[in-house]
Amino acid sequence: AQSVAQPEDQVNVAEGNPLTVKCTYSVSGNPYLFWYVQYPNRGLQFLLKYITGDNLVKGSYGFEAEFNKSQTSFHLKKPSALVSDSALYFCAVRDSSASKIIFGSGTRLSIRP
Amino acid sequence: EAGVAQSPRYKIIEKRQSVAFWCNPISGHATLYWYQQILGQGPKLLIQFQNNGVVDDSQLPKDRFSAERLKGVDSTLKIQPAKLEDSAVYLCASSPTGQGGEQFFGPGTRLTVL
């Protein structure tokens, strides 16, 4: 069975500081990993994905994520946070042998000026 | 390109009433998904279509929920009769063929059951 965990309900960061939003996963096969962002009253927007290849994946709005197979993690990072990054972030995983994608419970990112 | 369209955006009904949601995916996307997102939680897959066939409906409460995707394009999700616990945002998403493809989400329908 596949699962994904986002251990932090909320992350608070000062503008200009680096940010990290954590995600760990469990799959039986090879993982396909995704990050999405959700703004109030909006659907989810795709940020980035890892399918294969380089462990460091770059995505939209200056975000990047690092795939770590030994730690089964896919943490989302940004070198310098903006107030406009404040939103709800979801990690998602799909086992390469399955069709269903599983979403984490979400992490609310709050960037203070 | 146009995004995923959903209607209505908001719906308020009494319990035991019925309700239907509509979704039009991005043109050419073979896979269509319906998710339920309860406040404070991540989206939960209700049903996944590949063209007009069902790939996964293991988490769809089939005694009250139904969905169809006639002609492999747009889709409707119906709840009959609704319960209080059905209050949630219902998200539709689509993706191109291929398991590595990301999903594109519509704005969602916020359902309130009183």
Side-chain angles (χ1 to χ4, degrees):
Chain A
Q2 56 193 43
S3 65
V4 60
Q6 293 181 245
E8 302 156 316
D9 290 337
Q10 177 135 357
V11 171
N12 299 307
V13 176
E15 187 175 27
N17 283 0
L19 69 87
T20 298
V21 183
K22 296 179 180 177
C23 172
T24 59
Y25 67 90
S26 175
V27 296
S28 55
N30 293 318
Y32 295 161
L33 294 154
F34 305 83
W35 275 102
Y36 288 84
V37 61
Q38 187 175 33
Y39 297 99
N41 299 314
R42 302 282 295 277
L44 278 69
Q45 296 178 34
F46 170 76
L47 280 179
L48 50 79
K49 67 180 178 182
Y50 171 83
I51 304 299
T52 186
D54 288 342
N55 290 343
L56 185 63
V57 179
K58 294 189 182 296
S60 307
Y61 311 121
F63 284 94
E64 58 189 28
E66 186 168 12
F67 170 64
N68 188 316
K69 187 173 183 178
S70 63
Q71 296 185 6
T72 61
S73 66
F74 190 56
H75 301 332
L76 181 70
K77 300 181 180 183
K78 187 172 182 180
S80 179
L82 300 173
V83 173
S84 57
D85 293 330
S86 298
L88 193 54
Y89 290 80
F90 291 97
C91 181
V93 66
R94 169 186 280 150
D95 190 309
S96 59
S97 62
S99 59
K100 184 188 298 184
I101 185 169
I102 302 295
F103 284 84
S105 56
T107 298
R108 186 166 299 282
L109 179 62
S110 178
I111 310 299
R112 60 184 183 275
Chain B
E1 92 189 333
V4 176
Q6 288 188 249
S7 67
R9 290 295 310 277
Y10 304 92
K11 190 74 176 178
I12 300 174
I13 61 173
E14 302 276 339
K15 61 183 179 183
R16 291 187 290 273
Q17 286 186 321
S18 62
V19 64
F21 312 128
W22 174 82
C23 172
N24 186 251
I26 292 173
S27 178
H29 281 192
T31 309
L32 185 148
Y33 313 79
W34 282 103
Y35 289 91
Q36 180 192 59
Q37 185 178 20
I38 293 173
L39 187 64
Q41 299 180 19
K44 182 184 82 171
L45 180 69
L46 291 175
I47 189 167
Q48 176 181 341
F49 291 95
Q50 180 79 12
N51 297 309
N52 60 349
V54 176
V55 174
D56 189 323
D57 63 355
S58 58
Q59 297 189 97
L60 185 74
K62 298 180 185 64
D63 58 333
R64 298 185 300 106
F65 286 64
S66 64
E68 60 182 10
R69 190 184 184 197
L70 299 176
K71 302 180 182 178
V73 182
D74 55 355
S75 175
T76 56
L77 175 70
K78 297 180 182 178
I79 307 175
Q80 182 179 10
K83 293 185 175 181
L84 296 177
E85 59 261 36
D86 298 332
S87 295
V89 175
Y90 291 84
L91 296 166
C92 179
S94 68
S95 68
T97 302
Q99 291 190 0
E102 63 268 27
Q103 298 176 22
F104 295 81
F105 283 80
T109 297
R110 182 176 298 277
L111 173 67
T112 301
V113 183
L114 303 175

